[in-house]
């Protein structure tokens, strides 16, 4: 949280839909034991679509990359 900017990109390439979401917030620990319902819901939806999600977060912000195969 504490982000003042957010950027989203949607790219379709080689039968893969890529969603890239980045912010400049304070980040969070991706290894926390308490699960966020929002993040868990996002992971479940991506898994349902046979996709892959990568989350990188640090003191300079957070980036989320979602890859979904399109048939």
């Amino acid at each position: 949280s504490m982000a003042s900017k957010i950027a989203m990109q949607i790219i379709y390439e080689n039968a893969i839909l890529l969603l890239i979401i980045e912010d400049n917030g304070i980040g969070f620990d991706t290894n926390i034991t308490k699960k966020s319902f929002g993040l868990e819901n996002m992971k479940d939806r991506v898994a349902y679509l046979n996709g892959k999600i990568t989350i990188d977060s640090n003191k300079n912000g957070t980036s989320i990359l979602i890859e979904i195969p399109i048939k």
Side-chain angles (χ1 to χ4, degrees):
S1 188
M2 304 294 283
S4 62
K5 295 181 182 178
I6 185 169
M8 283 184 69
Q9 295 181 50
I10 300 173
I11 302 166
Y12 179 71
E13 186 174 273
N14 298 323
I16 301 287
L17 180 66
L18 298 172
L19 294 107
I20 304 165
I21 307 157
E22 299 175 305
D23 73 32
N24 67 343
I26 60 172
F28 61 92
D29 183 355
T30 58
N31 296 313
I32 56 175
T33 56
K34 179 183 174 191
K35 299 294 183 182
S36 161
F37 287 117
L39 286 177
E40 289 304 307
N41 188 24
M42 190 183 308
K43 289 177 182 178
D44 289 344
R45 289 173 186 256
V46 170
Y48 176 78
L49 296 170
N50 298 315
K52 183 171 99 173
I53 184 168
T54 306
I55 301 172
D56 181 36
S57 188
N58 59 55
K59 65 180 180 162
N60 298 315
T62 299
S63 64
I64 300 173
L65 172 65
I66 298 171
E67 301 175 60
I68 299 171
I70 304 296
K71 297 177 182 179

